[in-house]
Amino acid sequence: MNQPGQSLTSSTPARTVFWPYLVPPRRRVLLLIAIGAVLSCSAWLGFGKSLATSFDLTKHSVPLDQIVDGGPGKDGIPALLTPRFVSAAEGTFLQDDDRVLGLTQGVEAKAYPIKILNWHEIVNDVVGGKPVVVTYCPLCGTGIACDANVRGGPHTFGMSGLLYQSDLLMYDHQTDSLWSQIGMHAVAGPLTGQRLTPVFLEHTTWAEWRAAYPSTLVLSTRTGSLRNYDRDPYTGYAESGELFFDTTHVDPRYHPKEWVVGIEHKGVVKAYPFSELKKGESPLTDELGGDTVTIQVNHRARSVSVTDTGGRPIPSVTAFWFAWYAFHPDTQVFKWPVRRSP
């Protein structure tokens, strides 16, 4: 049988043959359409081409070939710089089971709906008098809040349009440095190596948050952007085993989108998959870095809170398994049985 690039018969002069043309004409059209779709998708994902960006990547702490173009471009996803809020009673655009990121500082409580964060990903805010940046990466399922003070002064952040390990890279407006959301540190630019301080954040439902904090404010849909916040641009993504972008480290022990709660405490990194947490009672206790921590699980709201022996909250990250593992390939993984609370 002739191979692509060989002559078709012994009497035919040797010539290069584009292999799709060996396919019958009726099927050839469909094949060429499929090839075009694959090539277009590959180009969109950035395969086979060098990164083109306006950011200065001369100084960096991660391999540059692992920073990829996410597609929308710098500020293509508009971060919120002057967010508006309404009272819980005015939050009629939310259903009880809508997911929110909840943040408290002092006596002030605020909720940031995922249905809004899907379209903006970053909210620059002030809560309890402290500047904070609230971030959500739909690709990783990660909601993280950090103190926005860097080197003694408040910074504001925008979307770079770039990704690292399938996770959003934000940039600060003051220096144009790139910051890893999950890593919570600058990976390129003048502030490379600087770290952000996490702020305790809850990943829960609107009903649960509103019941716990009836005086909460909630991020308004009046964002200044024309977006349909009732439409989820990532429908089906959380159930799919496919990723839009590759990661360096992969672990097949769990479905890539298995929800886990990740904790970093005194040098110990540990993941608590919800499929494991369902096997036992709540609350439970565990040992991390020589300390006893208490983990309270609300299965109805798919939320977890972690506290130390004094009842003080310990920041944790709710994430897809693939995302947590990509950043923490040395992570411990919780499995029953463990010592339970008395």
Side-chain angles (χ1 to χ4, degrees), residues 1 15 25 58 104 107 113 133 139 144 251 300:
M1 180 177 177
R15 60 190 175 92
T58 305
T104 61
V107 297
V133 55
L139 297 179
I144 297 174
D251 188 308
R300 181 179 61 256

Side-chain angles (χ1 to χ4, degrees), residues 28-107:
R28 189 184 304 159
V29 174
L30 295 177
L31 181 59
L32 290 174
I33 291 174
I35 292 172
V38 170
L39 292 175
S40 297
C41 184
S42 296
W44 182 76
L45 293 177
F47 295 160
K49 65 178 182 179
S50 59
L51 179 66
T53 178
S54 62
F55 291 98
D56 183 357
L57 305 181
T58 305
K59 185 179 181 182
H60 56 91
S61 61
V62 300
L64 292 183
D65 61 0
Q66 294 178 19
I67 297 177
V68 300
D69 188 344
K74 185 178 182 181
D75 295 321
I77 297 175
L80 299 183
L81 287 168
T82 54
R84 298 180 179 183
F85 292 84
V86 296
S87 68
E90 295 172 301
T92 54
F93 60 92
L94 289 173
Q95 303 296 317
D96 282 350
D97 59 352
D98 281 345
R99 298 202 67 78
V100 301
L101 303 180
L103 178 61
T104 61
Q105 292 283 326
V107 297

Side-chain angles (χ1 to χ4, degrees), residues 86-100 110-113 204-213 216-219:
V86 296
S87 68
E90 295 172 301
T92 54
F93 60 92
L94 289 173
Q95 303 296 317
D96 282 350
D97 59 352
D98 281 345
R99 298 202 67 78
V100 301
K110 288 186 174 181
Y112 306 83
T204 186
T205 64
W206 173 234
E208 293 287 330
W209 182 259
R210 188 180 66 241
Y213 301 96
T216 187
L217 298 177
V218 57
L219 182 64

Side-chain angles (χ1 to χ4, degrees), residues 108-323:
E108 190 170 22
K110 288 186 174 181
Y112 306 83
I114 298 298
K115 66 194 303 181
I116 298 178
L117 293 174
N118 273 335
W119 295 93
H120 296 282
E121 302 192 16
I122 296 175
V123 181
N124 296 276
D125 201 8
V126 177
V127 184
K130 292 184 177 181
V132 297
V133 55
V134 179
T135 64
Y136 181 72
C137 179
L139 297 179
C140 295
T142 43
I144 297 174
C146 292
D147 188 328
N149 282 300
V150 181
R151 287 185 171 179
H155 280 51
T156 54
F157 297 83
M159 286 295 299
S160 70
L162 304 175
L163 301 168
Y164 170 64
Q165 301 293 351
S166 194
D167 182 47
L168 72 86
L169 285 176
M170 56 188 180
Y171 76 96
D172 68 84
H173 296 116
Q174 287 69 31
T175 73
D176 248 15
S177 297
L178 294 175
W179 298 79
S180 166
Q181 186 223 22
I182 295 178
M184 290 181 279
H185 63 272
V187 299
L191 297 183
T192 297
Q194 289 288 312
R195 300 197 65 84
L196 295 173
T197 302
V199 176
F200 181 72
L201 188 73
E202 291 191 43
H203 200 308
T204 186
T205 64
W206 173 234
E208 293 287 330
W209 182 259
R210 188 180 66 241
Y213 301 96
S215 61
T216 187
L217 298 177
V218 57
L219 182 64
S220 170
T221 55
R222 296 174 62 196
T223 62
S225 297
L226 294 176
R227 299 290 189 275
N228 180 3
Y229 296 114
D230 288 324
R231 185 176 75 83
D232 182 359
Y234 298 90
T235 299
Y237 175 74
E239 293 74 36
S240 170
E242 301 298 320
L243 305 183
F244 289 169
F245 297 88
D246 290 336
T247 59
T248 304
H249 305 287
V250 178
D251 188 308
R253 279 180 288 178
Y254 297 96
H255 188 284
K257 311 292 178 55
E258 164 79 25
W259 286 104
V260 305
V261 172
I263 303 173
E264 295 184 69
H265 184 70
K266 292 191 174 180
V268 176
V269 178
K270 195 164 186 177
Y272 295 78
F274 274 85
S275 60
E276 298 290 344
L277 293 173
K278 289 179 180 178
K279 297 176 182 178
E281 299 175 357
S282 176
L284 62 95
T285 58
D286 201 2
E287 299 295 327
L288 291 179
D291 290 345
T292 299
V293 298
T294 300
I295 300 169
Q296 181 77 47
V297 186
N298 183 333
H299 293 293
R300 181 179 61 256
R302 203 191 71 222
S303 64
V304 168
S305 61
V306 185
T307 55
D308 62 16
T309 51
R312 293 176 291 270
I314 296 175
S316 61
V317 176
T318 299
F320 293 137
W321 164 244
F322 89 85

